[in-house]
Amino acid sequence: MSVESIPFLALVFSLPARNATERMRAWRALKAMGGVVLRDGVYLLPAKTAQNERLFSVANDIQTSGGMAEVVGILPHSPNQLEAFRTLFDRSGEYVLLQTDMAQLDPERADLTALKRTLRGMRRRFSEIAAIDFFPGQLQEITAACLTTLETVLANRLNPDEPTSDNRVIAPLDLKNYQSKVWVTRADLWIDRLASAWLIQRFIDPDARFLWLSSSDMPPTGAIGFDFDGAQFTHVGSYVTFETLLASFGLEKNTALLHLGRMIHALDVGGHSLEAAGFSALVSGMKIRIQDDDVLFSTVQKILDDYFIYFYSQENSDG
């Protein structure tokens, strides 16, 4: 039976009593990779390729140190035993502890420097838990959404010029009246502005030209503004600018764009989206590397193209 065909692996080992250092090293390595103790000297892990390599490496280190170590496949004898083994890897308690810490944090009042440090630590904790959450469920999704919301508040505090929400009614508009236009928004592009510019060029005005305005710049006559106070397209009600554009031009019928809208909404004003954290990390990394807004937009366009293709394929797959 191949390793790939069994659900669990167990490391069975023993070390001479005098070799306490190697025993501690093995324990730390097994704990870091998410192994659980069945009994003294027996650790269980799901049979995943990434874990296989690490598990065999620990076994080899133990053997090199003069101990006995064997990696054996474990095949549960019944559905009940399979479920019992899966339960051993339940990370609910760790997620609840992290959520409790997040609930005690007031991101609007916390010192900005301390908030950044705290959220970096929480993101690291979440990543460490998720890395060994071999059977993830809804609690992982909820924790990720809560963390993304806190990080969104931090991003908004770091960018205090985010537009306020307008309560006007969104009127349907005709695409033919918005072709080959100059579109303007605030410089130092971030999530909603990047995504809105992508939406404009891909689905509204293929020949659009964009200007990124500093705080002292005045929009040129006839230019169409988006994502700033007083712009034609900005936050309306609970909508971020990306969603306002969708509603204005009848693009909400496109379910892939709706998925994108939920992701942008979560990152701009908070909410739940499984993909939000990954996109935020990508754009944050790009902004460290790229200071030119034109280059940044060109780079992010390709990423958003891929997100759209992914969402579209999910909606239109046979399965």
Side-chain angles (χ1 to χ4, degrees):
M1 180 180 291
S2 68
V3 168
E4 290 76 13
S5 66
I6 57 179
F8 296 96
L9 297 177
L11 173 62
V12 182
F13 74 94
S14 64
L15 280 161
R18 67 179 182 276
N19 205 336
T21 300
E22 185 58 37
R23 184 181 297 275
M24 180 59 69
R25 183 180 294 117
W27 176 81
R28 286 175 176 167
L30 290 162
K31 186 175 185 295
M33 68 177 76
V36 297
V37 181
L38 291 182
R39 53 157 294 170
D40 186 35
V42 182
Y43 283 80
L44 187 71
L45 271 167
K48 296 193 173 185
T49 302
Q51 303 303 330
N52 292 355
E53 295 177 1
R54 297 176 68 185
L55 199 61
F56 282 108
S57 177
V58 171
N60 183 66
D61 290 343
I62 293 171
Q63 292 168 352
T64 302
S65 301
M68 182 283 292
E70 294 293 341
V71 177
V72 297
I74 301 292
L75 186 64
H77 63 73
S78 68
N80 286 342
Q81 187 177 63
L82 174 62
E83 185 58 32
F85 280 174
R86 288 170 63 104
T87 300
L88 293 173
F89 297 95
D90 181 29
R91 305 297 174 191
S92 298
E94 294 164 81
Y95 286 126
V96 169
L97 283 175
L98 180 54
Q99 285 188 30
T100 300
D101 290 343
M102 288 192 287
Q104 295 173 349
L105 180 65
D106 186 346
E108 296 287 359
R109 296 188 179 184
D111 174 77
L112 199 54
T113 301
L115 179 61
K116 290 171 65 176
R117 183 170 58 251
T118 299
L119 288 180
R120 278 199 302 268
M122 288 179 170
R123 173 58 66 182
R124 183 169 57 252
R125 282 173 61 188
F126 175 79
S127 298
E128 290 170 353
I129 298 168
I132 56 173
D133 186 9
F134 304 116
F135 308 104
Q138 189 176 26
L139 199 56
Q140 184 188 109
E141 298 179 14
I142 294 171
T143 307
C146 291
L147 184 54
T148 297
T149 297
L150 289 173
E151 291 170 334
T152 297
V153 175
L154 171 62
N156 288 340
R157 288 186 63 186
L158 292 171
N159 296 276
D161 58 344
E162 285 296 305
T164 55
S165 183
D166 195 324
N167 291 319
R168 68 176 183 260
V169 175
I170 299 176
L173 300 173
D174 193 333
L175 281 173
K176 71 173 184 289
N177 296 325
Y178 290 84
Q179 301 304 300
S180 301
K181 299 295 185 180
V182 175
W183 299 74
V184 298
T185 190
R186 294 167 293 129
D188 191 18
L189 300 176
W190 186 233
I191 299 291
D192 197 12
R193 278 164 280 159
L194 284 164
S196 294
W198 171 85
L199 181 67
I200 290 164
Q201 190 144 74
R202 292 291 188 262
F203 291 90
I204 298 171
D205 181 3
D207 296 318
R209 292 187 298 121
F210 294 98
L211 295 178
W212 323 119
L213 306 177
S214 69
S215 57
S216 60
D217 290 335
M218 290 294 293
T221 302
I224 303 170
F226 63 99
D227 203 52
F228 58 86
D229 285 338
Q232 181 174 353
F233 301 100
T234 186
H235 292 207
V236 176
S238 62
Y239 281 0
V240 299
T241 301
F242 185 93
E243 295 169 303
T244 298
L245 286 162
L246 288 181
S248 297
F249 292 100
L251 297 171
E252 292 175 306
K253 299 173 185 176
N254 187 317
T255 52
L257 290 178
L258 282 180
H259 277 294
L260 266 175
R262 281 194 287 271
M263 183 177 78
I264 303 307
H265 184 105
L267 289 170
D268 205 46
V269 296
H272 174 60
S273 167
L274 290 178
E275 298 79 15
F279 183 61
S280 177
L282 281 170
V283 178
S284 296
M286 290 176 192
K287 283 184 69 67
I288 293 171
R289 178 172 58 88
I290 303 170
Q291 280 71 53
D292 184 284
D293 277 343
D294 286 318
V295 177
L296 178 65
F297 176 48
S298 177
T299 305
V300 172
Q301 275 186 307
K302 300 169 186 175
I303 303 298
L304 285 168
D305 286 343
D306 290 334
Y307 269 100
F308 175 78
I309 292 169
Y310 168 73
F311 288 131
Y312 182 85
S313 66
Q314 291 295 104
E315 289 293 325
N316 293 276
S317 63
D318 292 336

